[in-house]
Structure formats: structure tokens, C-alpha cells
Amino acid sequence: MTTWLPTLKTATPEEGYELAVKMARVAVKMTQPDADMRDKLRPDYAENADSLIAVSHVVATNFATVAAANGYWMD
Amino acid sequence: MTTWLPTLKTATPEEGYELAVKMARVAVKMTQPDADMRDKLRPDYAENADSLIAVSHVVATNFATVAAANGYWMD
Amino acid sequence: MTTWLPTLKTATPEEGYELAVKMARVAVKMTQPDADMRDKLRPDYAENADSLIAVSHVVATNFATVAAANGYWMD
Amino acid sequence: MTTWLPTLKTATPEEGYELAVKMARVAVKMTQPDADMRDKLRPDYAENADSLIAVSHVVATNFATVAAANGYWMD
Amino acid sequence: MTTWLPTLKTATPEEGYELAVKMARVAVKMTQPDADMRDKLRPDYAENADSLIAVSHVVATNFATVAAANGYWMD
Amino acid sequence: MTTWLPTLKTATPEEGYELAVKMARVAVKMTQPDADMRDKLRPDYAENADSLIAVSHVVATNFATVAAANGYWMD
């Protein structure tokens, strides 16, 4: 996991959003490194409305950081 | 999903709020790409007070980012 | 719902707080447009301590944005 | 409730923290205006660890705003 | 409780983190002033993973404020 | 625990993210100092989707602070 986050800069807001999603996933991987266990847990959140909303909140928090890092892509 | 977020700029605060709602939904779609499953889950949150409050929190977090990106529409 | 948020500017912090409450409610309305359903859900959160705390958190998040937009009413 | 928040300025960080607590309570009052109901709900959160932690989170979010409004009381 | 928060300035990031923990606890004390009740509730959160994660979130939110107040200890 | 956070500066975004994870864990340790108890609780969150999402949210909040402290590693 040494090169997954070389920079917070992205070319577009969309790519920034995708980075925010990725960042949300990495914390999960670092806390539960077992890929089989993560796969087993997938239906628990992917088929649960409250879990999906919680995922969206984490992405929103990460996106705030990515957007600030990119000057909101205003240039 | 390549053009859903070309910019964080919006003409008005209202459009910014609508963008924040859209952003909240996209993270859900990226985590649960199956539209049928999402439709099936809809009553779970749309008819649940706590889920609706949680949705509103995600929108608030996204709106903070959109509002900052727009200089709070002060011009 | 085209004119509910013409600006984030308010004359006073109190009005800003009221706007933050309004913003919290609009996301709920946009997610659950059926007014009868929302009325039916009201006791679920208005008579539940954890739900009320969650509402207060959403308002706090929105108020942060409104306060920043108003330069914290320092002038 | 017309004069509860005349300003976000406070003389000290402590007073700012107390204001943050007050702000957290006002959103609850605005959502559940019935004082008897709020009194009835009090044990539900005051004797519940998770509810108390949630209250603390709302206060933290409000305090961030109050602290920023006061320039972190650095002068 | 008149002198618990004389300033947000701390000498080091670590002391700032400790202040953030303290701030998280004060909101709990202000909401539940009865020390015996708080002691009774301690196992409910100290032996519960989700409660501990929630505590960490409150600390993170407070630390953001303390860190900003200290200019991120960059000098 | 006197030297765990000498600075918020990190060489890269990745190291900043790792610091954010560490910060999330320290609040847990400070609240539950008993390592055996923490080990016992590990499956409760490491094998629970909602807990893992909550951990990711705490990391996101801490990372926002670390990223700001590092000027988003833009230099």
C-alpha cells in the first residue's frame, strides 16, 4: 500500500470524487486487511440503506479535503 | 458516470444544494451499482426518520464543500 | 422549490441558525417528497432523543456553512 | 426565541463552549417545542452512553464554528 | 467549571490532542452532571467497539478546532 | 504516550493518511487503556461493516486536519 496516494491533486472534480471513494475504502482495508472477510461483509453494507448512507458521508468528508487541496478546481 | 461532476460552480445556492444532493446519491450508486437493489432499498430510508436525517447530514457535508467552492455566492 | 434558498446571507446569527434548520429539512423533503409520509414519521424523531440529537448535528453542520458565508456576522 | 443568539463572539473559549452547548439544545427545542416531551426524553439520553457521546459530537461541531468566529480567541 | 478551558493554545500537537479528549468529556459532564451515573455508564462505552469509535470521532472533530487554533503547530 | 504525535507534518499524503489512522486509534486507547479489552473488542468492529465504515469516517476527519497542516502537500 505504498503508492496508493501519491497526491491529492486530480485533473477534475469527478476524479477527485473517485479519489474520495478510494480513500474511504483504504481505511477499511487498513482496519480489516483480510480480503475474504471484506468480501463476506459486502452484502451487509451494499444491501443496507443506512450503511450506504454512511458510506456516502465518509466520501463527503474525504471529498471536502480533496476539493480544498485542488482549490476547488477553479483555475 | 464520466460527466456527472464537470464543476463545483453553480449559478445559485439552490443549484448548489441540488448538486450536494446529487453528490450524496453518487457515492451510493458507486457502492451499490445495481439499480434494482437501490430501488428495493428505497422504502428502507425514505420511510425511516433516522435514515432521512442521515441523508440530510450527508447533504449538509457536501453542501459545505460546494458553498466554499462558490465563494458562498457572495459576488 | 425554486426560491427557497436565494442567498446564504442573513441579517443576524439567529436568522442564520433558522436557515440552517430549514436547510436540514429541505434535504428530507427532497428525499421523501410525500408530505403525508413525512407527517407520519414525525413522532418517530420528535419523540426520540437520539433522533433529535441527530437533527441537531445536521443543523450544526449547516450552520457552519451559513456562518462562514456571513463572515460570522462580525461586521 | 428571538434573542437567544445575538452574536457568536464570546469573551473566552469557555463561554464559547457553553454557547456551543446552547446551540446544540436549540435545534432540539425547535424540532420538539413541547417542554414536557423534552423532559420525558431526558433520561433516554442522559443515562445512555451513546447518546451522551452523540451530544458531545454536536457540541464539537458547533464549537468549531464559534471558535472560528472568535478567531480562536488568539488576540 | 470556570477555568477548564482558558485557551486553545497548547505547546505541542500531543497536548492539543489531550485537550481535544478533555473537550469531548466536558460536553458529557455538562449533559450528565451526576458523576455516579457517568461512572455507571462507563462500561457501556469503554467495552463497546462502536462507542469507542464514536468517542474517537468526537475527539477528531475537537482536534480539528484545536489544531487550527494553534496554526497546526507549524512555527 | 508522550511522543506519539511530535508533529502533524508528514512527507507524503500517504504518510499523512497513516497518521490519521493512528490518531483515530489513540483516542480509543485513551478511553479504553486495557489492551486485553481492546483485543477482545477487535472482532466486534473488524468483522462488522458498519463499524468499519465508522472507522473510515473518523480517519477521514483526522485526515482533513493532517492535510490542512501540510498545506495539502502542494509544494
Side-chain angles (χ1 to χ4, degrees):
Chain A
M1 212 153 11
T2 54
T3 58
W4 73 273
L5 189 62
T7 177
L8 296 179
K9 298 290 275 185
T10 67
T12 64
E14 263 177 68
E15 289 178 27
Y17 196 88
E18 281 157 25
L19 178 56
V21 171
K22 184 181 180 181
M23 289 163 69
R25 290 176 181 164
V26 169
V28 172
K29 285 185 195 175
M30 289 174 74
T31 309
Q32 178 48 272
D34 181 340
D36 289 339
M37 175 59 72
R38 292 199 307 273
D39 285 346
K40 191 181 143 195
L41 294 175
R42 189 173 158 75
D44 290 354
Y45 65 88
E47 299 174 14
N48 181 290
D50 288 332
S51 302
L52 290 168
I53 295 166
V55 166
S56 187
H57 207 167
V58 181
V59 172
T61 303
N62 280 320
F63 184 70
T65 304
V66 174
N70 283 280
Y72 304 101
W73 299 275
M74 282 189 209
D75 308 330
Chain B
M1 212 151 14
T2 54
T3 58
W4 74 273
L5 189 62
T7 176
L8 296 178
K9 298 291 275 185
T10 67
T12 64
E14 263 177 67
E15 289 178 27
Y17 196 87
E18 281 156 26
L19 178 56
V21 171
K22 182 182 181 182
M23 289 162 70
R25 291 176 181 164
V26 169
V28 172
K29 285 184 196 175
M30 288 173 75
T31 309
Q32 178 48 272
D34 181 340
D36 289 339
M37 175 58 73
R38 292 199 308 272
D39 285 346
K40 191 180 143 196
L41 294 175
R42 190 174 158 76
D44 291 353
Y45 66 87
E47 299 174 14
N48 181 291
D50 288 332
S51 302
L52 289 167
I53 295 166
V55 166
S56 187
H57 206 167
V58 181
V59 172
T61 303
N62 280 320
F63 184 70
T65 304
V66 174
N70 284 280
Y72 304 101
W73 298 275
M74 281 190 209
D75 307 329
Chain C
M1 212 151 15
T2 53
T3 58
W4 73 272
L5 189 61
T7 175
L8 296 178
K9 298 291 275 185
T10 68
T12 65
E14 264 177 68
E15 290 178 26
Y17 196 87
E18 281 157 25
L19 178 56
V21 172
K22 183 182 180 181
M23 289 162 70
R25 291 176 180 164
V26 169
V28 172
K29 285 184 196 175
M30 288 173 75
T31 309
Q32 178 47 272
D34 181 340
D36 290 339
M37 175 58 72
R38 292 200 307 272
D39 285 346
K40 190 180 144 196
L41 294 175
R42 189 175 160 73
D44 290 354
Y45 66 87
E47 299 173 14
N48 181 290
D50 288 332
S51 302
L52 289 167
I53 296 166
V55 166
S56 187
H57 207 166
V58 182
V59 172
T61 303
N62 280 320
F63 185 71
T65 303
V66 174
N70 284 279
Y72 303 101
W73 299 274
M74 280 188 208
D75 308 329
Chain D
M1 213 152 10
T2 55
T3 58
W4 73 272
L5 189 61
T7 176
L8 296 178
K9 297 291 275 184
T10 67
T12 65
E14 264 178 67
E15 290 178 25
Y17 196 87
E18 282 157 24
L19 178 57
V21 171
K22 183 182 180 181
M23 289 163 70
R25 291 177 180 163
V26 170
V28 172
K29 285 184 195 175
M30 288 172 75
T31 310
Q32 178 47 272
D34 181 341
D36 289 339
M37 176 58 73
R38 291 200 306 273
D39 285 346
K40 191 180 143 196
L41 294 175
R42 188 173 161 74
D44 290 353
Y45 65 87
E47 299 173 14
N48 181 290
D50 288 333
S51 302
L52 289 167
I53 295 166
V55 166
S56 188
H57 207 166
V58 182
V59 172
T61 303
N62 280 319
F63 185 70
T65 304
V66 174
N70 284 279
Y72 304 101
W73 299 276
M74 281 189 208
D75 309 329
Chain E
M1 212 149 15
T2 54
T3 59
W4 74 272
L5 189 61
T7 176
L8 296 179
K9 297 291 275 184
T10 68
T12 65
E14 265 177 65
E15 289 178 26
Y17 195 89
E18 282 157 24
L19 178 57
V21 171
K22 183 181 179 181
M23 289 163 70
R25 290 176 181 164
V26 169
V28 172
K29 286 185 195 175
M30 288 174 74
T31 309
Q32 178 47 273
D34 181 341
D36 289 339
M37 175 58 74
R38 293 199 307 273
D39 285 346
K40 191 181 143 195
L41 294 175
R42 188 173 161 73
D44 290 353
Y45 66 87
E47 300 174 13
N48 181 290
D50 288 332
S51 302
L52 290 167
I53 295 166
V55 166
S56 188
H57 207 166
V58 182
V59 172
T61 303
N62 281 319
F63 184 70
T65 304
V66 174
N70 284 280
Y72 304 100
W73 299 275
M74 281 189 207
D75 310 329
Chain F
M1 213 150 14
T2 54
T3 58
W4 73 273
L5 189 61
T7 177
L8 296 179
K9 297 291 275 185
T10 67
T12 65
E14 264 177 67
E15 289 178 26
Y17 196 88
E18 282 156 25
L19 179 56
V21 171
K22 184 182 179 181
M23 289 163 69
R25 290 176 181 163
V26 169
V28 172
K29 285 185 196 174
M30 289 173 75
T31 309
Q32 178 47 273
D34 181 340
D36 289 339
M37 176 58 73
R38 292 199 307 272
D39 285 346
K40 191 180 143 195
L41 294 175
R42 189 173 160 75
D44 290 354
Y45 65 89
E47 299 173 15
N48 181 291
D50 288 332
S51 302
L52 289 167
I53 295 166
V55 166
S56 188
H57 206 167
V58 182
V59 172
T61 303
N62 280 320
F63 185 70
T65 304
V66 174
N70 283 280
Y72 304 101
W73 299 276
M74 282 191 208
D75 309 330

